[in-house]
Amino acid sequence: MDKLMETTLSILAGSKITLEIFAATLAMSLPLGLLAALARLSKIGIISRLTELYIWIMRGSPLMLQLLFVYFALPLVGIKFDPLPSALLAFTLNYAAYFAEIFRAGIQSIERGQYEAAKTLGMTYIQTMRRIILPQMIHRVLPPVSNETINLVKDTSLIYILAMNDLLRVARTIVQRDFDMTAFFIAGVFYLAMTAVLTWMFKKLEAHYGKYDF
């Protein structure tokens, strides 16, 4: 029992890094993704094309490769980050690209007539987006955003390649040390618990926005 408790506490300590990466990535990638979506829809050709290129690169290459590039390749040109900032940069840029495509699709799903109606009322582009388009977009994109957020929880396990003591790395170290698979089972329970909380939260959000007929 003491050994089980020790293993659980060690994994709990490792989950702190996992949660930090998850929370910081989500906090930065959501607004960046929205900005990228708006840039992708921009009528200024160069901005739209550059944003499209960024999204294509981020979505078309593995997140692990992006982590390795930030941590090992950038120092070759004089740009060096510690493991945590490297992980945050790679995760944020990667997930912002995915959120950008989700938000773009959500914005484009709004009927064109609503833009025209807002223009008739004298609203500016910013007012139209803030008061009419974005509230409806949020309602429509919650399911795919929920899926990507849950994927983010699981993808945090990739930071083991940067030698960071996250939840999975701690569990793996314990298994290799004790030749006991219990640590992997406990780590699995931790991941399931986090995804369960996120699933519950997004269901609440969907229920809340479902009250309104957009």
Side-chain angles (χ1 to χ4, degrees), residues 88-176:
L88 288 177
L89 178 60
F91 270 85
T92 298
L93 291 176
N94 179 276
Y95 270 84
Y98 281 92
F99 286 136
E101 283 298 275
I102 292 172
F103 293 150
R104 179 188 61 81
I107 291 171
Q108 290 184 319
S109 72
I110 307 300
E111 294 75 11
R112 193 66 197 171
Q114 298 195 39
Y115 291 91
E116 296 171 357
K119 187 176 181 180
T120 301
L121 293 172
M123 289 187 179
T124 64
Y125 175 77
I126 294 177
Q127 289 174 327
T128 301
M129 294 300 295
R130 181 169 59 86
R131 298 180 181 179
I132 298 176
I133 306 303
L134 293 184
Q136 296 180 76
M137 182 271 289
I138 291 172
H139 175 244
R140 298 184 183 189
V141 304
L142 274 176
V145 167
S146 171
N147 290 337
E148 286 302 324
T149 303
I150 290 172
N151 285 336
L152 174 57
V153 171
K154 295 179 287 185
D155 280 347
T156 55
S157 62
L158 293 176
I159 63 175
Y160 82 91
I161 63 173
L162 304 184
M164 297 176 67
N165 286 323
D166 69 308
L167 192 160
L168 188 60
R169 184 179 176 86
V170 170
R172 180 183 176 186
T173 300
I174 294 172
V175 169
Q176 291 176 331

Side-chain angles (χ1 to χ4, degrees), residues 37-82:
L38 295 174
R40 177 70 180 82
L41 296 171
S42 173
K43 294 181 180 180
I44 303 175
I46 186 65
I47 293 177
S48 178
R49 286 193 291 271
L50 286 176
T51 307
E52 184 180 7
L53 177 62
Y54 152 69
I55 292 172
W56 176 68
I57 292 173
M58 290 296 105
R59 298 178 73 224
S61 57
L63 177 54
M64 181 178 289
L65 178 61
Q66 294 165 23
L67 281 165
L68 292 172
F69 179 84
V70 171
Y71 190 66
F72 292 107
L74 288 185
L76 298 178
V77 294
I79 304 174
K80 186 174 182 180
F81 297 104
D82 290 332

Side-chain angles (χ1 to χ4, degrees), residues 174-187:
I174 294 172
V175 169
Q176 291 176 331
R177 182 192 67 198
D178 300 338
F179 300 98
D180 184 353
M181 299 296 290
T182 303
F184 280 156
F185 174 79
I186 296 173

